[in-house]
Amino acid sequence: FDYLICLTLLVGFVIASIFFHFGGFETETSLAERKRTIFTILALTLVGILVVNVGFIAFFKFNWNNNWIQYEWAPLIKKQIAVTRWAAGIDKIKRYSIREIPTGNITKILSMVRQWDQDAAYTKMKNQIGVNWMILSDSDIIYIGGKEYWAAPTTLSYPSRDWISTHLIYTHTSKIIVIDSHSGDFVPVTEAFGVPREPLIYYGEGFYTNVYVNVKGFNEIEDVSYPGEPDYVLSGWQRVLWFLMEGQPGFAFTPPQESINMLYCRDIFKRVSNILIYGLKVDPDAYLVSDGSRIYYAVQVYVSYPMRSGFSASPYLRFFAVVLVDVENGSMKGYVVGKSDGFLVDFYRKYYSSWDEPPAWLIPQLRYPEVLLGTHEHSGQLDVDFYFHVEDPFVWRSGSQFYERPKATEVLYILMAVENETRFVGIQLAEFQASPGRNLAGLYVAYGGSQLGRIDLYRVSNTTSQFIGPSAALQAFETDDYVRTQLTLLTRRRFGNILLYSIGGELYYFIPVYIEAEIANAVITKMAFIGVIDAETGTQVAVGSNAADAYYALVGGAVKIGAEERLNRVLNLFAENGLTVVKPTKIDGHVWIRVANITYLSENEWMEVKSA
């Protein structure tokens, strides 16, 4: 009806223009009289059409809300939800009650809680480098050999920026720092990855400079030589032209008979991006994998293709492939992980026909791409599902079931116990949009390994079950009387990731607290304690030196039984030696002396405690 009004006005303008061009109402002939009659009839007809159309529009406007399902939901929004879910690749997400979150053996779960977050692990890793020409590139979570680690490869930091240093001497790095994500202990690279030796890293993150290797008269740092095949062999006129462009005429002409090996495009993200066609993107969070003999960067590739349809509120999103880049020689091999969809994934599979299915050794180490799921800076599949999971017209209209990503958390990769099995998953907590109580709306679980591509949503589906969200959990933790007292003793502390685990059929948040040196570039960090908060009430809070201690202190399990008697026994030991124990609320000292770090949970540990 809007379009018909516009068309009517256009026709009326044309008729009026023609009529007045030929004199309009000015002449008094019989012909003019007939023209006036015809014009009047046409004008009245057009006005009638306008009035009818305006009437229809007014009728629909006045009756829009009481016919909203018929007028807007069915012909537009319902279809838009279906098309958007298909385009975003979220139409296969399975939905369960929050009470159905998988769980397993309590002791096993507590031993898998990720107590060290990325920032804490990264800070702790710095002092393991030992030289001034290497720095950590990034700290990424990996799962290999049934264990979860933080692994940080090194990249180059040039003490000298002259051309010889950056192109001929500092050609590689040689350290990968690995930390157990639960205990925070350092793990040798050979043990974590099962490789015979720690590799030299010629290709990695931040390797932006082309280098020349095996050049006569020059030694690479650490007195090693590049063992692989070069990307290019420069000789003859190519060598002359290249080094003239580099501003190095000495290497261009002398000695003329020799060739020079060049390693080119060594940054893994640029290296992989160069072989991708339109619609394929690289996840910026690559991680390390190993086949037991060599170590590779796993660079994740996903489809992000714009949809030319008003019915789709999302581009076409799919996880497509993983490209492995050998850290030593830069060789690349792609493996397709995307399932056949009869559309773009199939098209890309044909284009990259040499890319095979992932080998058996790689599958357990695979995870779902973080950016594809979505981050605070980049909208992904879960951001679409926050809105387009709603299928009830009145819930959609009210907005009561829309979700949002809490500022306090993001996609986190953890180990989840599913009965007797351990799963490597990415989790995303969601809160109800604009919820005044910061209530938990659901938990997204994106599986890795053999179930890669499976995403489940465990949601709070009714008002009878209420759980606090991660933002509220952090507030409950900070405002607890005991925790607040402990925090006053820590002059420089930081809260770690907020993680939700299902233990014994109940949900608990775990929040570690770290302490760092009071300097800008700290290289030492320690976990002061870890807190656990009951997700259903938010009123029960406990802390411990590790996840198990905190959990049992909260639920009254093995650790708490007899705790008062053991505490008094220790206090009496001091009193017998003429010492008085005080309970400070603040400490301003700058020196800490640790004699021992032991536990006293059972009688057989008493002699060790007494000796310390």
Side-chain angles (χ1 to χ4, degrees):
F1 296 111
D2 285 335
Y3 288 143
L4 193 54
I5 287 176
C6 293
L7 181 62
T8 303
L9 291 173
L10 176 62
V11 172
F13 174 78
V14 171
I15 293 174
S17 299
I18 295 173
F19 177 75
F20 287 104
H21 179 73
F22 290 101
F25 295 102
E26 295 179 359
T27 58
E28 296 296 337
T29 64
S30 58
L31 179 62
E33 183 67 26
R34 286 196 298 272
K35 286 196 299 181
R36 283 196 295 271
T37 303
I38 294 172
F39 177 80
T40 302
I41 294 173
L42 290 175
L44 290 174
T45 302
L46 293 176
V47 170
I49 294 174
L50 288 174
V51 171
V52 170
N53 279 277
V54 170
F56 273 114
I57 292 175
F59 175 81
F60 282 115
K61 291 286 187 183
F62 292 146
N63 292 278
W64 194 265
N65 284 334
N66 54 300
N67 291 279
W68 178 77
I69 292 180
Q70 178 186 351
Y71 289 174
E72 186 171 347
W73 171 263
L76 173 63
I77 298 176
K78 186 177 180 181
K79 296 176 183 178
Q80 191 175 39
I81 290 174
V83 175
T84 299
R85 289 179 57 78
W86 165 80
I90 57 176
D91 52 338
K92 299 296 191 297
I93 293 180
K94 295 182 179 179
R95 306 177 193 281
Y96 304 92
S97 166
I98 192 74
R99 296 288 186 182
E100 298 179 83
I101 294 179
T103 188
N105 180 273
I106 293 177
T107 303
K108 184 176 182 179
I109 296 173
L110 293 173
S111 69
M112 298 189 308
V113 172
R114 204 182 85 174
Q115 300 182 142
W116 287 79
D117 69 4
Q118 185 179 34
D119 291 339
Y122 188 84
T123 301
K124 188 174 182 178
M125 290 172 174
K126 290 179 183 178
N127 60 27
Q128 298 295 303
I129 298 175
V131 295
N132 68 341
W133 52 276
M134 289 191 288
I135 58 174
L136 298 176
S137 58
D138 197 3
S139 177
D140 297 298
I141 201 77
I142 64 171
Y143 179 69
I144 185 169
K147 293 185 178 181
E148 187 182 60
Y149 304 101
W150 286 108
T154 48
T155 190
L156 290 163
S157 176
Y158 303 103
S160 174
R161 300 291 304 187
D162 69 278
W163 194 89
I164 293 293
S165 296
T166 56
H167 291 81
L168 297 171
I169 298 177
Y170 296 110
T171 59
H172 67 279
T173 61
S174 57
K175 274 189 176 291
I176 300 173
I177 315 299
V178 181
I179 283 182
D180 187 296
S181 67
H182 174 77
S183 66
D185 295 333
F186 290 103
V187 181
V189 172
T190 52
E191 178 184 332
F193 290 97
V195 292
R197 60 177 178 83
E198 191 164 9
L200 301 176
I201 304 174
Y202 283 87
Y203 297 82
E205 298 178 64
F207 286 67
Y208 301 120
T209 304
N210 303 325
V211 296
Y212 308 97
V213 294
N214 313 126
V215 180
K216 185 181 295 186
F218 295 91
N219 293 328
E220 298 179 42
I221 192 72
E222 298 182 308
D223 290 326
V224 300
S225 294
Y226 176 68
E229 291 292 324
D231 292 312
Y232 293 99
V233 178
L234 300 174
S235 61
W237 68 269
Q238 291 177 326
R239 171 186 167 183
V240 173
L241 182 61
W242 179 264
F243 282 107
L244 285 177
M245 293 174 61
E246 286 277 292
Q248 298 295 322
F251 285 94
F253 297 106
T254 57
Q257 74 278 6
E258 290 188 3
S259 60
I260 293 180
N261 296 333
M262 179 172 67
L263 307 186
Y264 181 80
C265 192
R266 300 191 300 144
D267 178 73
I268 57 169
F269 298 113
K270 186 177 180 181
R271 195 171 179 87
V272 173
S273 296
N274 284 346
I275 64 171
L276 301 181
I277 62 174
Y278 181 77
L280 294 179
K281 293 187 177 181
V282 167
D283 187 291
D285 194 21
Y287 57 98
L288 296 178
V289 297
S290 174
D291 60 4
S293 60
R294 302 186 71 85
I295 293 178
Y296 309 88
Y297 268 102
V299 182
Q300 301 166 111
V301 178
Y302 64 96
V303 180
S304 179
Y305 200 96
M307 298 295 294
R308 309 301 182 186
S309 169
F311 280 103
S312 179
S314 167
Y316 193 79
L317 299 173
R318 294 294 188 278
F319 188 12
F320 174 60
V322 174
V323 179
L324 301 189
V325 183
D326 192 301
V327 299
E328 288 194 275
N329 59 36
S331 61
M332 293 185 289
K333 176 61 179 175
Y335 297 100
V336 176
V337 298
K339 302 296 187 294
S340 176
D341 62 351
F343 190 43
L344 289 179
V345 171
D346 287 350
F347 166 75
Y348 289 121
R349 287 174 72 103
K350 291 180 181 178
Y351 190 90
Y352 296 94
S353 58
S354 63
W355 290 9
D356 302 321
E357 299 292 325
W361 65 265
L362 178 60
I363 292 175
Q365 302 176 53
L366 295 177
R367 72 187 196 201
Y368 205 79
E370 180 180 2
V371 167
L372 184 54
L373 291 173
T375 66
H376 288 293
E377 296 78 25
H378 187 282
S379 178
Q381 290 176 310
L382 298 188
D383 298 87
V384 178
D385 196 69
F386 289 165
Y387 293 89
F388 290 90
H389 68 277
V390 176
E391 297 178 344
D392 184 284
F394 299 106
V395 175
W396 176 274
R397 189 75 183 269
S398 68
S400 61
Q401 289 289 327
F402 290 161
Y403 302 160
E404 63 183 359
R405 178 179 285 106
K407 293 181 179 180
T409 189
E410 56 190 353
V411 175
L412 300 170
Y413 296 95
I414 66 170
L415 299 182
M416 174 181 284
V418 182
E419 297 180 348
N420 295 324
E421 296 185 23
T422 300
R423 301 287 188 187
F424 184 44
V425 301
I427 64 168
Q428 172 66 69
L429 298 171
E431 294 178 348
F432 287 109
Q433 188 180 60
S435 168
R438 313 308 301 169
N439 293 102
L440 180 70
L443 170 69
Y444 288 90
V445 179
Y447 287 81
S450 60
Q451 294 188 325
L452 186 69
R454 171 187 169 188
I455 302 177
D456 293 340
L457 169 60
Y458 298 91
R459 58 183 177 178
V460 182
S461 56
N462 56 61
T463 56
T464 59
S465 296
Q466 295 179 352
F467 297 87
I468 62 171
S471 304
L474 182 59
Q475 293 181 27
F477 185 58
E478 288 183 288
T479 56
D480 180 77
D481 290 338
Y482 179 78
V483 173
R484 196 171 54 211
T485 302
Q486 294 301 305
L487 294 178
T488 60
L489 306 178
L490 308 176
T491 53
R492 184 178 175 87
R493 67 343 187 248
R494 180 182 66 82
F495 296 113
N497 293 147
I498 305 172
L499 297 169
L500 184 67
Y501 288 87
S502 175
I503 306 177
E506 302 294 335
L507 298 180
Y508 300 93
Y509 288 102
F510 286 85
I511 306 177
V513 178
Y514 307 104
I515 52 176
E516 297 177 349
E518 295 189 55
I519 57 176
N521 296 312
V523 296
I524 298 294
T525 186
K526 298 178 180 178
M527 189 177 75
F529 54 86
I530 187 170
V532 59
I533 303 97
D534 174 38
E536 189 160 4
T537 65
T539 58
Q540 300 183 59
V541 179
V543 300
S545 60
N546 55 51
D549 286 355
Y551 171 75
Y552 286 118
L554 182 72
V555 301
V559 173
K560 192 170 182 179
I561 297 174
E564 192 69 26
E565 291 80 359
R566 294 195 302 279
L567 174 61
N568 290 331
R569 197 172 185 182
V570 173
L571 296 178
N572 290 336
L573 191 61
F574 285 103
E576 291 170 3
N577 288 273
L579 299 172
T580 302
V581 177
V582 297
K583 295 182 178 179
T585 57
K586 186 177 182 181
I587 296 176
D588 292 322
H590 296 287
V591 179
W592 294 78
I593 302 174
R594 169 170 284 180
V595 176
N597 184 12
I598 56 178
T599 58
Y600 180 26
L601 305 178
S602 61
E603 185 59 31
N604 58 12
E605 295 174 322
W606 168 244
M607 293 308 296
E608 184 183 2
V609 173
K610 185 177 180 180
S611 174

